[in-house]
Amino acid sequence: MSGRFVLLGAPGAGKGTQAKRVCTRLGVEHLSTGDLLRHAVRTGSPAGKKAKGYMDAGKLVPDEVVFSVLFERLDDGLDGFLLDGFPRNRVQAEELDRRLDAAGTPLDAVVDIDVPDEHLLGRITGRRVCKVCGNVHHVEFMRPRVEGVCDVCGGELQQRSDDRAEVVGQRLAVYREQTAPLQAYYADRGLLATVDGDRDADAITDDLLAALGEHSTEGR
Ligand code: AP5
């Protein structure tokens, strides 16, 4: 299967968790702008230096910085991909459309993972990420077998710097103001499906695979 997909959802909705699962199954590239930006920060690249302050404050990184890290990858000619964390506002959505339309490769589907606001804060503040391989755990909902240790590689688990409660409120406010309106943007284009994200992770994966598989480019 292949296709060009966008995964929408609030901070903590489970985009990263689900993207890893479905990309393996669909055989498409997982492109997370959050991961690309964190890598840029870690390596001290010019984009990372510009992005760090915005990320630590829970604000959106300027569009041109995000475009520089993402389109370097997308312009490589990737045909099958799933975008996680992009687009985040209307300017980004229009730029993505412009580039994909110019290449004659428009999006196939957009899926929003819907989680009630009252569950997002606990998901984010309880998240622990492996310093070595980036695998994501949760202190309550996806507990590692050994506390503080990654199940996959044995690396040390840590909290993301922007997952502190004082930053999370800002991230959720930015989401509501700038990113949530993209649901209407994609619904108007006939691309949007919604999946209930307030369930067991396996049930969400099944629904996502059904929603994305239906729009994959296989057999067209
Ligand atoms: P980014 O990394 O994209 O963060 P986000 O969108 O805020 O999303 P999260 O990574 O917080 O959550 P998620 O939905 O992936 O949830 P996860 O699967 O980990 O962005 C970070 C920052 O980078 C932004 O604030 C901004 O500064 C910048 N940035 C990134 N992209 C940008 C862009 N396009 N433009 C401008 N700036 C940009 O799950 C969360 C937790 O819940 C985990 O612990 C997990 O184990 C647990 N969990 C998952 N599923 C379930 C379940 N079903 N039940 C219970 N727990 C679950």
Side-chain angles (χ1 to χ4, degrees):
M1 272 194 242
S2 192
R4 293 171 293 277
F5 307 118
V6 167
L7 206 50
L8 288 179
K15 301 181 296 297
T17 302
Q18 293 297 334
K20 288 188 186 78
R21 291 165 164 234
V22 300
C23 286
T24 306
R25 298 277 291 276
L26 296 173
V28 298
E29 186 93 4
H30 174 202
L31 288 173
S32 155
T33 44
D35 287 349
L36 292 172
L37 289 167
R38 279 184 286 278
H39 180 260
V41 170
R42 269 197 310 279
T43 56
S45 73
K49 285 183 180 143
K50 288 183 195 148
K52 186 174 183 338
Y54 295 95
M55 296 175 81
D56 286 345
K59 296 180 177 166
L60 291 189
V61 172
D63 295 329
E64 61 277 12
V65 178
V66 180
F67 293 160
S68 72
V69 297
L70 176 66
F71 291 126
E72 189 179 273
R73 293 288 299 277
L74 265 191
D75 290 346
D76 274 352
L78 283 172
D79 186 37
F81 58 79
L82 183 146
L83 290 169
D84 155 13
F86 185 94
R88 281 292 231 275
N89 58 30
R90 189 165 176 121
V91 170
Q92 294 183 7
E94 288 175 348
E95 179 64 12
L96 178 66
D97 281 348
R98 194 186 66 71
R99 287 179 184 246
L100 294 178
D101 288 346
T105 55
L107 285 175
D108 293 302
V110 177
V111 182
D112 181 62
I113 304 181
D114 183 41
V115 174
D117 281 4
E118 61 269 27
H119 293 168
L120 294 172
L121 180 64
R123 282 206 191 176
I124 297 172
T125 55
R127 170 168 46 199
R128 298 293 181 271
V129 182
C130 177
K131 274 170 104 165
V132 179
C133 74
N135 186 45
V136 174
H137 287 278
H138 191 281
V139 294
E140 187 181 347
F141 307 132
M142 296 192 179
R143 295 169 70 101
R145 284 189 292 274
V146 177
E147 196 183 326
V149 178
C150 175
D151 281 357
V152 173
C153 76
E156 183 189 340
L157 298 178
Q158 65 179 5
Q159 188 173 40
R160 249 169 61 179
S161 59
D162 60 345
D163 278 354
R164 289 168 289 118
E166 60 272 26
V167 183
V168 173
Q170 170 70 19
R171 287 168 58 198
L172 292 171
V174 168
Y175 168 77
R176 281 185 209 107
E177 190 188 316
Q178 299 194 49
T179 310
L182 295 181
Q183 293 166 7
Y185 177 92
Y186 287 119
D188 288 348
R189 286 157 181 72
L191 287 171
L192 185 75
T194 301
V195 163
D196 176 3
D198 194 20
R199 294 176 295 158
D200 171 76
D202 290 341
I204 302 166
T205 306
D206 288 346
D207 282 4
L208 275 172
L209 286 170
L212 297 175
E214 195 182 315
H215 296 282
S216 82
T217 50
E218 185 182 65
R220 271 197 227 152

